[in-house]
Structures are given as C-alpha cells and as structure tokens.
Amino acid sequence: MRFSVIVPVYNVADYLKKCTDSILANDCSDCEILLVDDGSTDGRSGALCDEIAAAHPSLIRVIHQRNGGLGDARNTGIANAQGDYLVFIDSDDHIAPDYLSTISAQIDRTHADIYTFDFTCEYPARLEPQSATQGLPEAEAFTLSQQPGLLLMPPSAWSRVYRRELFLRTQVRYPGRVWYEDIRTTGKLFANAESIVALHKSLYFYVMRANSITRNTNVERNRQIIEAMDDLISYFRAHGYFEAYKNELCRLVIDHVLIAASVRVARCDRRSPLLKEFRQYTETNFPDFRRNPYLSLLPRSKRLAYRLICGGHYGLLSAMFSLKDRFSGRE
C-alpha cells in the first residue's frame, strides 16, 4: 500500500465531512484513511467518524482513543499505518483532488523520504497562497545539508508527505498536549532524511479559524515556544547537527520566539514579563543574533517588528499589528 492518510479528529463535526470528501475525491486505489478520534467531547465528531467509515468500510478505519492532543493522535496513526508513505491532514482542512496522484507520480520518479509542497490559507473572505518551497529546486532530490534554508520554511506536518520508514528508523514522534508540536518535530525529520523533493504546487487548503494558536489570547501558553525551541536545539546538539545549522536555528528563534511570540503577547499585554523572557532567551542562546545572515531576508513587516522589539517599543508593536489586522479584515 502506498499511502496511509492520517486524520486526527477532535470536536470538528462541522468540518470533518468536507475534509474526508476532499480525500475521497482523490484516487484512493492505493491508500487507507485512518480517522483518529482523539477523545472528542462534542457528542458528534466520534459518531460522525464511524458514520463516514461505515460508508467506505474497505478504505477507512476509525480509532477511538482518550484525548492526548494532536501530536498523540498523529502518533497513533503512525503506529497503526500500513502504507509506505504517511499523509497528515488536519480534520478542519481539505486537500486538492490531485493531491495523492501528484505525490504518487513523484514517488515513482524519485522515491524520496520527504515531499514538501505549497498550500493555500483559506480565510472567510479570500484565499491566500503560501509557499513551503520558496528557493528550493523543483522536483529534484536534495538533502538538508544542500538546502539548509528548508529549516526556515513553515514547519507544518500537513504540508509534507513522509516515508513511514523515516519515523521507524529515527523514532522521532510528535509530542502530545503541547503547542508547536510541528516545530519540535519537522526539523528533526529534515535532518535525518536521505532525500527530499519540493513541489511548487499548492495541494492543501489550510482553514484559518478564530481559535488558532496565532489568535489565542492565553498569554502564558506562549512560553511553550521556548520549550519547543529547546527541544529542537537540544536534538540538533545531541546528534551533531548544531554547528552545521546554527544560522538557521538562530533565525528560527528570531522568527518564532523573538518576533512571533512577542507579537502575540504584546497584542494582549504589552507589559507582560514574557516579552523580556523572549528577548533574553534569544540573547542567551545566540548572543550574536543581530549579525545573523538571514536577517536581510525578513519581510518588511517582520523587519519593522524586529526593530521595535529590539528597542523595547512594545506599545508601538501592538498598535502596528492591530492596525494591520483591521485593514486586512482579520479582526
């Protein structure tokens, strides 16, 4: 069997049918679909999984488990998968009708460990294409050492397809019950992959929801980004990868800790002690972060945010992104 399509499910009854219909619209002749009900409590999602599976008994399996979080649900899928390649789809998203056939054709040609591709963010009023392959050679196999900039791309599990053997060989798994599980995991898989192929094609539709991490008002949980980066950096140190990818890891800390986490917190509380903690973390782990060669590649809005943060101007930072949200229609 070529593909195991793993769909973690938790209280998403309003989205699940569209998600599974988009999978079934693909050529599923050489795949299985695993719906992992992660202890849904809405009284609908678990039953809907069973209903969808009953209509396609030879194709879809349902696994009901106690709630363990997104990462744990993915791990359950990995443990039960039979396909050579693993496809991760979040249950509130959907995929293009040629997703599986496009990846399958590339597998026939290159037999890579990882396939990475572009995606489209779906907002209530518009679609916004996003690249997970910018600057990467198209449809040509490479390794992380040849394209270290891959570490700077969005780390989402759902914008890649992985050879199952890569998980079995490395024993890398997703952490449960935490935010930023992809940041903790994807870079480790990149570092261990013997070959990676990038496709400059959008195959996935990511639905922007109001309760996403980027819009969550639980300020204290943003500290978990430090734990996530510690996890990744410690792994790279333990396996001898740190020096080779020091600049990329530094840029990741700048992106996710110094800028993104500071922006999220400053929007809610510009006097939060977390803001100082994020800056101290960056300075402690990468004392020369201001000389990182990737800083010149920051887009304009991030460059301005970076300067405001380094200057301690969190009030201006909060005001800037509030205006940005208002004019982009995201409020």
Short mmCIF file of all heavy atoms in Angstrom, two decimals, residues 283-309:
data_model
loop_
_atom_site.label_atom_id
_atom_site.label_comp_id
_atom_site.label_asym_id
_atom_site.label_seq_id
_atom_site.Cartn_x
_atom_site.Cartn_y
_atom_site.Cartn_z
N GLU A 283 18.99 36.17 23.25
CA GLU A 283 20.34 36.66 23.51
C GLU A 283 21.21 35.60 24.16
O GLU A 283 22.41 35.51 23.88
CB GLU A 283 20.28 37.90 24.38
CG GLU A 283 19.65 39.11 23.68
CD GLU A 283 19.46 40.29 24.62
OE1 GLU A 283 19.46 40.07 25.86
OE2 GLU A 283 19.30 41.42 24.12
N THR A 284 20.64 34.78 25.04
CA THR A 284 21.41 33.75 25.74
C THR A 284 21.85 32.64 24.79
O THR A 284 23.00 32.19 24.82
CB THR A 284 20.58 33.15 26.89
OG1 THR A 284 20.26 34.17 27.83
CG2 THR A 284 21.34 32.04 27.59
N ASN A 285 20.94 32.19 23.93
CA ASN A 285 21.26 31.08 23.03
C ASN A 285 22.04 31.51 21.81
O ASN A 285 22.84 30.72 21.28
CB ASN A 285 19.96 30.39 22.61
CG ASN A 285 19.39 29.52 23.70
OD1 ASN A 285 19.76 28.35 23.85
ND2 ASN A 285 18.48 30.07 24.50
N PHE A 286 21.83 32.74 21.37
CA PHE A 286 22.52 33.24 20.17
C PHE A 286 22.95 34.69 20.42
O PHE A 286 22.30 35.64 19.96
CB PHE A 286 21.61 33.14 18.94
CG PHE A 286 21.18 31.74 18.63
CD1 PHE A 286 19.95 31.25 19.05
CD2 PHE A 286 22.02 30.88 17.93
CE1 PHE A 286 19.55 29.96 18.77
CE2 PHE A 286 21.65 29.58 17.64
CZ PHE A 286 20.40 29.11 18.07
N PRO A 287 24.05 34.89 21.17
CA PRO A 287 24.48 36.23 21.54
C PRO A 287 24.72 37.15 20.35
O PRO A 287 24.59 38.38 20.47
CB PRO A 287 25.79 35.98 22.31
CG PRO A 287 25.68 34.57 22.80
CD PRO A 287 24.93 33.84 21.74
N ASP A 288 25.07 36.57 19.21
CA ASP A 288 25.34 37.39 18.02
C ASP A 288 24.16 37.38 17.04
O ASP A 288 24.34 37.54 15.84
CB ASP A 288 26.60 36.88 17.32
CG ASP A 288 26.49 35.41 16.88
OD1 ASP A 288 25.54 34.72 17.33
OD2 ASP A 288 27.35 34.96 16.10
N PHE A 289 22.94 37.21 17.55
CA PHE A 289 21.78 37.08 16.66
C PHE A 289 21.59 38.29 15.75
O PHE A 289 21.04 38.17 14.65
CB PHE A 289 20.50 36.82 17.48
CG PHE A 289 19.93 38.02 18.19
CD1 PHE A 289 18.99 38.83 17.58
CD2 PHE A 289 20.32 38.32 19.49
CE1 PHE A 289 18.46 39.92 18.25
CE2 PHE A 289 19.79 39.41 20.16
CZ PHE A 289 18.86 40.22 19.54
N ARG A 290 22.07 39.46 16.18
CA ARG A 290 21.91 40.66 15.34
C ARG A 290 22.75 40.60 14.07
O ARG A 290 22.53 41.39 13.15
CB ARG A 290 22.27 41.90 16.16
CG ARG A 290 21.28 42.24 17.26
CD ARG A 290 21.73 43.44 18.08
NE ARG A 290 20.78 43.80 19.12
CZ ARG A 290 20.73 43.20 20.31
NH1 ARG A 290 21.57 42.20 20.60
NH2 ARG A 290 19.83 43.57 21.21
N ARG A 291 23.69 39.67 14.01
CA ARG A 291 24.52 39.52 12.81
C ARG A 291 24.13 38.29 12.00
O ARG A 291 24.88 37.87 11.11
CB ARG A 291 26.00 39.44 13.22
CG ARG A 291 26.54 40.72 13.83
CD ARG A 291 28.04 40.71 13.95
NE ARG A 291 28.51 39.70 14.90
CZ ARG A 291 28.61 39.89 16.20
NH1 ARG A 291 28.27 41.06 16.74
NH2 ARG A 291 29.07 38.93 17.00
N ASN A 292 22.97 37.73 12.27
CA ASN A 292 22.54 36.54 11.53
C ASN A 292 22.37 36.88 10.05
O ASN A 292 21.71 37.87 9.70
CB ASN A 292 21.22 36.04 12.11
CG ASN A 292 20.78 34.72 11.48
OD1 ASN A 292 20.20 34.71 10.40
ND2 ASN A 292 21.07 33.63 12.15
N PRO A 293 22.96 36.08 9.16
CA PRO A 293 22.91 36.41 7.73
C PRO A 293 21.50 36.35 7.14
O PRO A 293 21.25 36.94 6.07
CB PRO A 293 23.81 35.35 7.09
CG PRO A 293 23.86 34.23 8.09
CD PRO A 293 23.77 34.87 9.43
N TYR A 294 20.58 35.66 7.81
CA TYR A 294 19.22 35.56 7.29
C TYR A 294 18.35 36.77 7.64
O TYR A 294 17.23 36.88 7.15
CB TYR A 294 18.54 34.29 7.82
CG TYR A 294 19.06 33.01 7.20
CD1 TYR A 294 19.91 32.17 7.92
CD2 TYR A 294 18.69 32.63 5.91
CE1 TYR A 294 20.37 30.99 7.37
CE2 TYR A 294 19.16 31.46 5.35
CZ TYR A 294 20.00 30.64 6.09
OH TYR A 294 20.46 29.46 5.54
N LEU A 295 18.84 37.66 8.49
CA LEU A 295 18.04 38.83 8.86
C LEU A 295 17.69 39.70 7.65
O LEU A 295 16.62 40.31 7.60
CB LEU A 295 18.79 39.68 9.90
CG LEU A 295 18.75 39.20 11.35
CD1 LEU A 295 19.61 40.10 12.22
CD2 LEU A 295 17.31 39.16 11.87
N SER A 296 18.57 39.72 6.68
CA SER A 296 18.31 40.55 5.50
C SER A 296 17.13 40.04 4.68
O SER A 296 16.60 40.76 3.84
CB SER A 296 19.56 40.58 4.61
OG SER A 296 19.89 39.28 4.14
N LEU A 297 16.72 38.80 4.94
CA LEU A 297 15.60 38.22 4.19
C LEU A 297 14.26 38.40 4.88
O LEU A 297 13.23 37.99 4.36
CB LEU A 297 15.85 36.71 3.98
CG LEU A 297 17.14 36.34 3.24
CD1 LEU A 297 17.27 34.84 3.11
CD2 LEU A 297 17.18 37.01 1.87
N LEU A 298 14.26 39.05 6.05
CA LEU A 298 12.99 39.28 6.74
C LEU A 298 12.08 40.15 5.88
O LEU A 298 12.52 41.17 5.34
CB LEU A 298 13.23 40.00 8.07
CG LEU A 298 13.71 39.18 9.27
CD1 LEU A 298 14.05 40.11 10.43
CD2 LEU A 298 12.65 38.16 9.70
N PRO A 299 10.81 39.78 5.73
CA PRO A 299 9.89 40.67 5.02
C PRO A 299 9.72 41.98 5.79
O PRO A 299 10.04 42.07 6.97
CB PRO A 299 8.58 39.87 4.99
CG PRO A 299 8.71 38.83 6.05
CD PRO A 299 10.16 38.54 6.20
N ARG A 300 9.20 42.98 5.12
CA ARG A 300 9.20 44.33 5.67
C ARG A 300 8.49 44.42 7.02
O ARG A 300 9.00 45.05 7.95
CB ARG A 300 8.55 45.30 4.67
CG ARG A 300 8.63 46.76 5.13
CD ARG A 300 8.24 47.70 4.03
NE ARG A 300 6.86 47.48 3.59
CZ ARG A 300 6.26 48.22 2.66
NH1 ARG A 300 6.93 49.18 2.05
NH2 ARG A 300 5.01 47.96 2.32
N SER A 301 7.32 43.81 7.15
CA SER A 301 6.58 43.92 8.42
C SER A 301 7.33 43.24 9.56
O SER A 301 7.37 43.75 10.69
CB SER A 301 5.18 43.31 8.28
OG SER A 301 5.25 41.93 7.98
N LYS A 302 7.96 42.10 9.28
CA LYS A 302 8.75 41.42 10.31
C LYS A 302 10.00 42.21 10.66
O LYS A 302 10.42 42.24 11.81
CB LYS A 302 9.14 40.01 9.85
CG LYS A 302 8.05 38.97 10.02
CD LYS A 302 8.61 37.58 9.79
CE LYS A 302 7.57 36.50 10.07
NZ LYS A 302 8.13 35.14 9.90
N ARG A 303 10.59 42.87 9.65
CA ARG A 303 11.79 43.68 9.91
C ARG A 303 11.46 44.84 10.85
O ARG A 303 12.21 45.14 11.78
CB ARG A 303 12.35 44.20 8.59
CG ARG A 303 13.76 44.78 8.69
CD ARG A 303 14.27 45.25 7.35
NE ARG A 303 14.12 44.22 6.34
CZ ARG A 303 13.50 44.39 5.17
NH1 ARG A 303 12.97 45.57 4.88
NH2 ARG A 303 13.42 43.41 4.31
N LEU A 304 10.31 45.46 10.62
CA LEU A 304 9.89 46.56 11.50
C LEU A 304 9.58 46.04 12.90
O LEU A 304 9.98 46.65 13.90
CB LEU A 304 8.66 47.25 10.91
CG LEU A 304 8.06 48.40 11.74
CD1 LEU A 304 9.13 49.45 12.05
CD2 LEU A 304 6.88 49.01 11.00
N ALA A 305 8.90 44.89 12.98
CA ALA A 305 8.61 44.30 14.29
C ALA A 305 9.90 43.97 15.03
O ALA A 305 10.02 44.23 16.24
CB ALA A 305 7.76 43.04 14.12
N TYR A 306 10.87 43.43 14.31
CA TYR A 306 12.17 43.09 14.91
C TYR A 306 12.83 44.33 15.51
O TYR A 306 13.33 44.31 16.65
CB TYR A 306 13.05 42.46 13.83
CG TYR A 306 14.51 42.30 14.20
CD1 TYR A 306 14.94 41.23 14.97
CD2 TYR A 306 15.46 43.22 13.75
CE1 TYR A 306 16.28 41.07 15.29
CE2 TYR A 306 16.79 43.07 14.06
CZ TYR A 306 17.20 42.00 14.83
OH TYR A 306 18.53 41.86 15.16
N ARG A 307 12.80 45.43 14.79
CA ARG A 307 13.42 46.67 15.28
C ARG A 307 12.69 47.22 16.50
O ARG A 307 13.32 47.68 17.46
CB ARG A 307 13.45 47.70 14.16
CG ARG A 307 14.43 47.35 13.04
CD ARG A 307 14.29 48.29 11.86
NE ARG A 307 15.22 47.96 10.80
CZ ARG A 307 15.15 48.44 9.56
NH1 ARG A 307 14.17 49.29 9.25
NH2 ARG A 307 16.03 48.09 8.65
N LEU A 308 11.36 47.15 16.48
CA LEU A 308 10.59 47.62 17.63
C LEU A 308 10.86 46.77 18.87
O LEU A 308 11.01 47.30 19.98
CB LEU A 308 9.10 47.61 17.30
CG LEU A 308 8.62 48.63 16.26
CD1 LEU A 308 7.16 48.40 15.92
CD2 LEU A 308 8.84 50.06 16.76
N ILE A 309 10.95 45.47 18.68
CA ILE A 309 11.21 44.56 19.80
C ILE A 309 12.61 44.80 20.36
O ILE A 309 12.80 44.90 21.58
CB ILE A 309 11.04 43.10 19.35
CG1 ILE A 309 9.55 42.81 19.07
CG2 ILE A 309 11.57 42.13 20.41
CD1 ILE A 309 9.31 41.55 18.27
#
